[in-house]
Amino acid sequence: MSETWQQLKGKSLQELSDLCSKKVLVKQVDGTKRTGVVFTIDPESYTMILLQQKDEGDEEGKVSSVSCNILFGTSIVSYQIRGDSNPTCQASADALDNKIKKGTNPSTVSRNHERGNDLSRTLSWLQENRVDAAVEDDKETISIMKGVAWISPPYDYSCVRSENEMVLARVIELIKRTPVD
């Protein structure tokens, strides 16, 4: 059964904790689907860290590597539990957890931002397209139309928030069209 982001928001801490180590299929706002094992979920933003196993075949067998993807809560449309994790992913999750507990910088963790934009370029792009945009007092968040929508770092389409679905869709499309230098 598929659950929406709003249903995810309604879960208790224990229910969120129970999702960890489960294999899930996540559908995002931009239409992409990602399958992986839930490493953790932030109980405030509902951002998920998914571990994805990649099999690289060779003549003697398969060698697995695991990548880590951060899916912002606001970019999650729905998710579906596909089962428990496999031993390779679970071992990688345990190793990553140990690195984090030791205070080591886990070099394998990378954000999945194909088009991470900087503040000035994003603000300039919005203003070029006649969008009322300004930097908030925290000097990181871009406010659109005096608080109807916001864009947080790293300023890609998955970082756009708004309660107005029409504004959200239009700003996401505009951010996706941001020129890459």
Side-chain angles (χ1 to χ4, degrees):
M1 180 176 106
S2 184
E3 294 192 25
T4 65
W5 181 67
Q6 285 77 15
Q7 289 169 319
L8 182 65
K9 284 175 54 176
K11 292 197 177 290
S12 69
L13 284 175
Q14 183 59 47
E15 290 172 314
L16 290 175
S17 178
D18 291 344
L19 278 174
C20 293
S21 298
K22 298 284 187 203
K23 188 172 185 176
V24 295
L25 170 69
V26 178
K27 183 177 177 188
Q28 294 181 279
V29 172
D30 66 351
T32 59
K33 294 179 181 177
R34 299 199 187 271
T35 302
V37 176
V38 178
F39 177 68
T40 190
I41 301 174
D42 177 22
E44 290 185 25
S45 68
Y46 302 97
T47 296
M48 274 188 194
I49 297 181
L50 275 188
L51 299 178
Q52 293 179 306
Q53 184 174 351
K54 296 179 182 178
D55 294 324
E56 300 166 358
D58 61 10
E59 291 181 16
E60 295 180 8
K62 291 193 172 189
V63 177
S64 295
S65 65
V66 177
S67 67
C68 184
N69 289 291
I70 299 173
L71 307 178
F72 293 100
T74 55
S75 74
I76 297 172
V77 173
S78 64
Y79 71 97
Q80 182 178 23
I81 297 175
R82 292 287 175 104
D84 292 327
S85 77
N86 61 39
T88 306
C89 259
Q90 190 58 48
S92 297
D94 293 341
L96 181 58
D97 196 34
N98 287 336
K99 282 184 177 184
I100 292 170
K101 285 177 182 172
K102 289 179 184 173
T104 313
N105 184 8
S107 59
T108 57
V109 177
S110 64
R111 291 185 179 220
N112 186 19
H113 301 299
E114 294 85 12
R115 300 177 73 161
N117 299 314
D118 64 351
L119 175 67
S120 60
R121 183 172 34 167
T122 303
L123 189 60
S124 170
W125 174 249
L126 290 168
Q127 291 169 344
E128 283 175 28
N129 285 277
R130 301 176 190 214
V131 174
D132 178 21
V135 179
E136 292 269 305
D137 292 337
D138 66 5
K139 302 206 183 323
E140 289 185 348
T141 306
I142 298 173
S143 174
I144 298 171
M145 295 186 300
K146 296 181 176 62
V148 174
W150 302 270
I151 307 174
S152 302
Y155 312 107
D156 67 5
Y157 65 87
S158 68
C159 301
V160 179
R161 298 173 289 138
S162 178
E163 291 185 12
N164 184 318
E165 290 183 30
M166 290 182 68
V167 170
L168 180 65
R170 288 182 179 167
V171 172
I172 286 172
E173 285 306 310
L174 186 59
I175 295 299
K176 283 182 177 180
R177 293 193 325 253
T178 304
V180 178
D181 292 334

